[in-house]
Amino acid sequence: MTVLVILSVVVVLALAGCVCVVWASRGGPRWVRAVSAVTLGAGEVVRRASIRSNRNNGSDD
């Protein structure tokens, strides 16, 4: 049950971040641009970690 709640919170935060990215691209308020920057930065960190992980595992992606 606890895992489901945590997963639900993570999904809601990810969706809210995506909404802020779209809203910021259309000129939203300052706080939306800040959330958008954090969301894009977190995505970049995850992407780089994934690339490193693939490199260490010998994948050809």
Side-chain angles (χ1 to χ4, degrees):
M1 182 68 173
T2 304
V3 174
L4 182 62
V5 171
I6 292 171
L7 183 59
S8 297
V9 169
V10 169
V11 168
V12 167
L13 288 174
L15 288 173
C18 292
V19 168
C20 285
V21 168
V22 171
W23 190 5
S25 72
R26 297 172 184 249
R30 183 178 297 170
W31 68 268
V32 170
R33 292 191 299 269
V35 172
S36 171
V38 170
T39 301
L40 292 173
E44 185 66 22
V45 167
V46 169
R47 187 182 70 84
R48 288 183 181 183
S50 174
I51 289 172
R52 279 193 204 117
S53 175
N54 287 341
R55 227 182 267 154
N56 290 340
N57 292 337
S59 295
D60 289 333
D61 281 346

